[in-house]
Amino acid sequence: DARPAPSQVRVKFVKALAFLHAPFRRFVYLDFDSRPCAWSAPSRILNQLASLNVDALLHNQWPAQRALSGDAHFRAEHHSAVAAFRATPATEAALQFFGEAFAHMKLRRDQPALMVALKLARDRLNFTHADVDNRTFCRAHGGRVVSCDAGCLVLHKPMKYDPGNLVVAV
């Protein structure tokens, strides 16, 4: 298909490529609409990644996902707005799969491609991750207001549901 992908798809694909080609042994990724609550947040996240000795720290799409184990856990999506990765062969494979799946699926959302990639990397290369709780990576959703004062380490979409942040044109 020679038709160019919509701009939303191209932008999300850049995220997949940024993950794959990050020139670091460990890194924390934050979407543009995420914000650390303290200067120490990235260091604390990287220390948590190292202490858990996993390939990645990821945030579950749904709170109940934490209770799912094995294959069932990987049939649900993880957020990609805030993530930490350690450079390992399994991580490299997961991120390569992420880029390939996203390019193939051409969806506006990147979480389905990440879900496929994580499952493939787990099945083929024993990719490991730890789920990060909602007090570490706080995401505003469904009217839930998040703030640094509430104990969050990183905020994602902190103003999305803030009525004071809305612009109305008449």
Side-chain angles (χ1 to χ4, degrees), residues 38-120:
W39 287 107
S40 62
S43 296
R44 289 171 59 192
I45 292 167
L46 289 175
N47 288 339
Q48 186 178 3
L49 178 67
S51 70
L52 293 171
N53 197 31
V54 292
D55 297 308
L57 294 178
L58 300 166
H59 190 222
N60 290 328
Q61 180 82 344
W62 314 110
Q65 188 175 344
R66 181 177 289 275
L68 300 174
S69 63
D71 223 33
H73 183 79
F74 287 91
R75 284 195 297 260
E77 297 175 354
H78 289 82
H79 289 293
S80 60
V82 180
F85 294 96
R86 190 167 59 100
T88 66
T91 300
E92 185 176 343
L95 298 177
Q96 181 72 39
F97 295 150
F98 179 37
E100 291 170 4
F102 193 77
H104 177 76
M105 295 167 100
K106 294 183 181 170
L107 300 173
R108 291 181 181 197
R109 295 177 63 248
D110 55 308
Q111 292 90 344
L114 182 61
M115 178 180 65
V116 168
L118 296 176
K119 179 153 179 11
L120 281 173

Side-chain angles (χ1 to χ4, degrees), residues 21-36:
H21 297 293
F24 308 105
R25 288 176 298 150
R26 300 174 304 152
F27 71 93
V28 175
Y29 174 85
L30 302 175
D31 265 1
F32 76 94
D33 57 353
S34 296
R35 143 176 104 84

